[in-house]
Amino acid sequence: MRHLYLTILAAAFLMTSSLSSCKQKNKADDKILTEKEQSLGQKDIIPRSDKQTTTNTISNELSFLNTFDKKYPYEIKLLDKPVIKRRLEEMLGPQYAFVKSIWEVETPIAITNGIFYAWGMKAHSGGDPGAVLMADLNKNVLYVGIRKNKDEKFYSEDGSMVPQKMQEWADEQ
């Protein structure tokens, strides 16, 4: 009887230990699978830690502006378009709110040779304060000119020279 009891006890021990090792192996396999799933998922996430990465990742993000020729900026809510708003806020900082606050009277949008042009000013101001928004749609670059108290400041998203038409706007006023 004692022999039977020891055999049952040994069999139970062997079954328990084999089940335990299977569970540990499955946990290890699950851990490896989880790590592989995570690494695959991380490849799909594009880091956007700097402006250059963002610009390079999104190809010709401004091309949608081509469809707005001859429309008024208020019709399309130009300054509130997420792409435009985000990029203007990055480029202008607190001046973005100023541009929005004075953009009351405007001209229709004009697109010539891949250059987008929109102009707005404070009502009854004679153009001071006023602002012009331009975009080189081929280069995917925004430019802004702001007139305030007879002083013009120009902003270029990539640091390049502003288009000639923006300088002409400044000279006309």
Side-chain angles (χ1 to χ4, degrees), residues 43-127:
K43 288 179 184 174
D44 295 337
I45 298 168
I46 300 168
R48 296 186 178 193
S49 59
D50 62 277
K51 191 174 179 181
Q52 186 177 5
T53 302
T54 303
T55 304
N56 291 341
T57 305
I58 302 168
S59 64
N60 210 3
E61 184 175 52
L62 298 175
S63 63
F64 76 97
L65 294 173
N66 271 312
T67 61
F68 301 131
D69 194 28
K70 297 183 178 45
K71 293 187 179 183
Y72 281 88
Y74 79 88
E75 289 180 290
I76 62 164
K77 298 180 181 7
L78 177 65
L79 298 177
D80 293 320
K81 294 273 184 216
V83 169
I84 301 298
K85 181 179 180 179
R86 175 182 50 82
R87 290 174 67 167
L88 287 177
E89 285 177 330
E90 278 182 25
M91 182 172 51
L92 300 175
Q95 291 299 320
Y96 171 75
F98 174 75
V99 170
K100 276 199 66 150
S101 73
I102 64 162
W103 199 283
E104 296 174 350
V105 177
E106 56 193 10
T107 60
I109 293 167
I111 302 173
T112 308
N113 298 325
I115 302 292
F116 174 96
Y117 178 87
W119 175 78
M121 68 173 197
K122 184 96 172 144
H124 312 293
S125 72

